Structure formats: C-alpha cells, structure tokens
Amino acid sequence: MLFLGYPVRQRPDLSGYVRLAAEGPPLGPADAAAGILLLDGSWRWAESMTRDFADVPPRSLSGWKTAYPRVSKVGTDPDNGLASIEALYLAYHLLGRPTEGLLDHYRWAAAFLEVNGLAGPASNRGECG
C-alpha cells in the first residue's frame, strides 16, 4: 500500500490501475490483475481529486450498502457511497484477494458484513466465508 497526501506533488505511475469510483463500469474479474487506486477524502473534495486522476479507469461498487452512519450537511453523499475501508474490503473480496485483517479496527465491521450478506463464521476477522 502506498499513501499519498493531497494534493499529490509527485504522482506515481498508475498504469495498470483502476480507480474505485461512485460511477463507472462495475469492478469485476477482468480487473483481477489491476492495482487499486482508492481516493480517500470527504465528498466535498471528491470532484477535484477525481479530476486529478481522471485518466485512471473508474470502477464502481454499486449495489453494496454502507454501515457507516453518514450525515451530510451539504447533500453531497451519493446513494452508493461507501466508507473507504468498506470499498477497499469489497474490492479485495470481489477480486479474490485476501481480506483478513482489513476490517479489524473498523467500528461498523459486523454491521457492514451483515447488511451486505457477507457475515459468516469468519466475519469477525474481516474474512469472507
């Protein structure tokens, strides 16, 4: 994992990556070998961050539900918005990558797994059963 502050001063090579986005084609098996770009910030900054990485193909995670208790005072949260850790977990899950430990420190992990039908015997460790 590589963490960058925003605005990014020196952008890494992102060829071979897909960008998790609220809109775009669904993330799927064809993306299995791709790196994942996850832009993490408030929805207020999403447009400018997205513009800076518009060349990285977007992939959506539509149809999944957040457990994060969101309350927007400016009405910018999309209906299919997820917490960043939820989006990362789902991307790993959908691409068959290990998810163990990803949700260990996420306060709403159990609710997130349950609301998305992912809860099972291994859910308390952030794994899909």
Side-chain angles (χ1 to χ4, degrees):
M1 245 185 232
L2 174 65
F3 291 93
L4 306 170
Y6 186 78
V8 175
R9 295 176 197 264
Q10 186 171 6
R11 184 177 149 163
D13 178 17
L14 297 173
S15 55
Y17 276 68
V18 294
R19 174 175 43 89
L20 298 182
E23 305 296 331
L27 183 72
D31 303 310
I36 298 171
L37 173 62
L38 174 64
L39 300 176
D40 180 41
S42 69
W43 287 110
R44 190 175 94 200
W45 292 105
E47 187 176 334
S48 62
M49 292 173 71
T50 299
R51 190 174 38 248
D52 288 350
F53 294 94
D55 59 306
V56 180
R59 296 294 184 268
S60 67
L61 296 168
S62 59
W64 300 95
K65 298 176 184 169
T66 186
Y68 187 81
R70 301 178 311 165
V71 178
S72 174
K73 292 183 170 95
V74 292
T76 55
D77 289 338
D79 291 336
N80 61 341
L82 297 166
S84 295
I85 190 60
E86 293 171 345
L88 183 63
Y89 179 91
L90 287 171
Y92 269 53
H93 170 71
L94 292 170
L95 298 177
R97 297 179 185 177
T99 59
E100 184 175 352
L102 287 178
L103 298 178
D104 282 358
H105 300 285
Y106 182 48
R107 181 177 183 172
W108 296 279
F112 169 69
L113 293 169
E114 185 175 331
V115 75
N116 286 293
L118 299 171
S123 66
N124 64 346
R125 295 190 312 272
E127 300 172 12
C128 288

